[in-house]
Amino acid sequence: MNVLEQHEQQHWSSVGAAATSPALLADPPPDGSINTNYKATRISIYSRYLQRWLDIFPTSQIHVIDGDALIRDPFTQLQEVEKFLNLHATLKREDFYFNSTKGFYCWKKRNENNDTAHNTVHCLNDSKGRKHPNVDRRVIRKLREFYRPFNEKFYNMVGRDFGWPET
């Protein structure tokens, strides 16, 4: 469940990188329920979107990446993509380096000699790698309860449990 990141990303893209306090839940209903009309809430219901793809393609033609694992170890995750697509393995672990300022890995584009010694570095844009705000535990619990059935359905659809916290 990355709904908090989705809420934060939605806020930053609407107000710009100069904002100082990201909104976690846009216009929550007065009864304290989850605002299901908010874009960040809707796009975090992955099973809904995956079902649309599965209506067209068999699961054998869809590869789902664990976004948390991609952040921790992009090389391994992208190796799995190369295998899934039956591509010749061209990525190397040294193609990535950890940017301690941003807090995640960046990609080193190889030069014309196919080395990374004199290369161009590509990192995600400034809306990524921000510190996440402290969120009240009650809000987190409410979001996890809301997403639990959707996450379970998603796990069943992909045949994989991503271990997102449920409580």
Side-chain angles (χ1 to χ4, degrees), residues 1-148:
M1 176 187 74
N2 72 352
V3 67
L4 296 176
E5 288 94 348
Q6 294 289 354
H7 283 275
E8 188 175 1
Q9 180 69 29
Q10 179 73 22
H11 173 76
W12 280 81
S13 63
S14 65
V15 299
T20 56
S21 72
L24 291 174
L25 300 172
D27 301 321
D31 66 358
S33 63
I34 303 296
N35 181 358
T36 57
N37 292 318
Y38 186 50
K39 181 180 178 184
T41 302
R42 288 191 324 269
I43 65 175
S44 295
I45 301 174
Y46 306 129
S47 58
R48 229 182 244 168
Y49 299 99
L50 180 59
Q51 185 58 59
R52 292 178 186 165
W53 288 104
L54 291 175
D55 289 343
I56 300 167
F57 300 101
T59 55
S60 63
Q61 292 183 354
I62 296 175
H63 180 76
V64 178
I65 297 171
D66 181 337
D68 293 331
L70 181 64
I71 291 168
R72 286 189 310 272
D73 185 10
F75 172 68
T76 301
Q77 293 300 305
L78 292 173
Q79 268 188 320
E80 290 180 16
V81 172
E82 285 179 322
K83 288 177 192 173
F84 177 78
L85 295 173
N86 293 316
L87 298 174
H88 176 71
T90 59
L91 292 173
K92 298 178 181 174
R93 189 163 292 280
E94 60 266 20
D95 291 341
F96 302 90
Y97 90 97
F98 187 77
N99 181 321
S100 58
T101 303
K102 288 190 168 276
F104 54 81
Y105 284 87
C106 297
W107 175 62
K108 295 188 278 186
K109 182 179 179 183
R110 295 183 199 162
N111 63 21
E112 60 276 354
N113 297 324
N114 202 29
D115 68 42
T116 58
H118 302 90
N119 52 15
T120 305
V121 174
H122 297 276
C123 291
L124 296 173
N125 68 33
D126 289 339
S127 71
K128 300 291 186 181
R130 299 176 310 275
K131 284 200 171 246
H132 294 285
N134 290 326
V135 180
D136 186 290
R137 291 176 196 250
R138 293 171 295 185
V139 172
I140 292 173
R141 184 173 46 249
K142 183 174 282 196
L143 288 168
R144 287 178 176 164
E145 288 170 2
F146 173 79
Y147 284 104
R148 182 180 302 118

